[in-house]
Amino acid sequence: MIFIGSGRLFLLLPLLLFFLAPLFFYSPLAALVLIGIVVFVGASAGRRRRTHLEPAAGFPPLTRPDPRMFENVRRAAEEDVLGLADEIRSLDLDIEMPGVVSEARSDYMHAVDQYDRAKAALDSARTPHDLAAVSSAVEEGRFAITSTRARLAGKQLPQRRPPCFFDPRHGPSVRDVAWAPPGGTPRPVPVCAADAVSLEDGNEPHGRRVRVGDREVPYWNAPAYYGPWAGGYFSPFSVLLPGLLLGSTLAGGIYAMDAYGDVADPGDGSPGDSADNASGYW
């Protein structure tokens, strides 16, 4: 308990001498030997601790993650918040019309509350991890908007399902469809009605793309630091998506991140890039 570094150890020597005073009376040599052992062990522990904390010789010092990583993810989250605000504004006049059922107003106000929650989370976010709260609130707000529209039109309420995999901005999915990226293994993914029709017609839906470096990629192939933001959309439905996106942003990232948050995969088309590894994860 006193082996906490040589500097602090010497501060405890007076206390140590107090307890060893009787031993000095009977055997001064034994007391000195015991003190020497304690000092030696404490100093060794301090050196080991410093060695563990300091970079090893020949290795570069630790660097902080590139701040552009966070800025790129934050930009995607900000687009989502602005998109939710536009959807809310599109209902402003409809919700004020006479005869609107109270349930529609309630859903509309819930969407407004989720917008406020998403905006507050975006303003306070400092790391990519913080942005999960933004996408989670946007997803719930978007579902509330879909419910509001259904009530205003007198239609059946939407089922509470995960958002569309290809672009969560499409709103809640209506069913699962088997899909795979080029060269991959098909997996069931939740899709909206429009994308389901597109897939049945043999077309590839236009997926949500995000910025990585100087290019844009589908968000499911983005680096792992996009994971919290993307995962926020699907986190309430994790039990419904077993194995979905194994190896992608939602399950750890096709791009590996080292212990300090740096991207190990450059994402530039070089060997090891997600384009080369996609088939290995699907």
Side-chain angles (χ1 to χ4, degrees):
M1 58 184 171
I2 60 174
F3 306 145
I4 54 177
S6 56
R8 295 183 181 179
L9 176 65
F10 285 113
L11 294 177
L12 297 178
L13 278 178
L15 183 61
L16 182 64
L17 292 174
F18 174 79
F19 285 106
L20 292 179
L23 185 59
F24 272 103
F25 180 78
Y26 293 103
S27 179
L29 181 60
L32 291 174
V33 170
L34 182 58
I35 292 175
I37 292 174
V38 171
V39 171
F40 175 78
V41 173
S44 299
R47 283 195 298 271
R48 286 196 299 271
R49 181 173 180 272
R50 287 193 300 273
T51 301
H52 177 72
L53 294 177
E54 294 172 358
F59 288 87
L62 304 181
T63 57
R64 297 184 65 83
D66 188 338
R68 289 175 297 180
M69 295 179 183
F70 171 66
E71 290 303 321
N72 286 341
V73 189
R74 188 186 186 284
R75 187 176 301 113
E78 184 176 30
E79 292 173 359
D80 293 342
V81 174
L82 293 176
L84 178 60
D86 289 339
E87 292 190 55
I88 291 174
R89 279 194 293 269
S90 70
L91 292 176
D92 284 348
L93 293 178
D94 295 329
I95 207 69
E96 295 300 329
M97 295 294 290
V100 171
V101 296
S102 60
E103 290 84 356
R105 296 183 188 276
S106 178
D107 285 341
Y108 173 84
M109 291 309 302
H110 185 62
V112 173
D113 290 342
Q114 293 308 305
Y115 166 78
D116 291 338
R117 174 186 158 208
K119 185 66 167 60
L122 180 68
D123 292 342
S124 63
R126 296 296 179 268
T127 68
H129 178 78
D130 299 333
L131 296 172
V134 178
S135 50
S136 176
V138 169
E139 184 279 326
E140 188 170 343
R142 189 170 287 128
F143 179 80
I145 287 292
T146 304
S147 298
T148 303
R149 288 182 174 140
R151 293 186 190 278
L152 291 174
K155 296 181 179 180
Q156 183 178 359
L157 292 178
Q159 183 182 357
R160 190 73 168 97
R161 284 181 49 89
C164 179
F165 164 73
F166 293 105
D167 191 339
R169 293 175 298 185
H170 294 171
S173 60
V174 296
R175 58 191 176 99
D176 295 344
V177 174
W179 175 85
T185 302
R187 294 177 182 270
V189 295
V191 297
C192 64
D195 283 343
V197 172
S198 181
L199 287 171
E200 290 173 349
D201 291 342
N203 301 318
E204 197 68 19
H206 296 289
R208 176 75 182 273
R209 302 181 72 85
V210 294
R211 177 151 301 273
V212 177
D214 58 354
R215 63 174 182 158
E216 291 188 343
V217 301
Y219 81 92
W220 56 83
N221 275 349
Y225 56 82
Y226 272 94
W229 163 75
Y233 277 113
F234 298 92
S235 57
F237 313 96
S238 57
V239 295
L240 301 180
L241 304 174
L244 178 63
L245 309 180
L246 180 63
S248 67
T249 57
L250 300 189
I254 286 179
Y255 293 64
M257 296 186 73
D258 63 26
Y260 308 107
D262 294 324
V263 179
D265 188 319
D268 57 4
S270 59
D273 188 19
S274 61
D276 303 316
N277 291 333
S279 61
Y281 290 97
W282 284 78

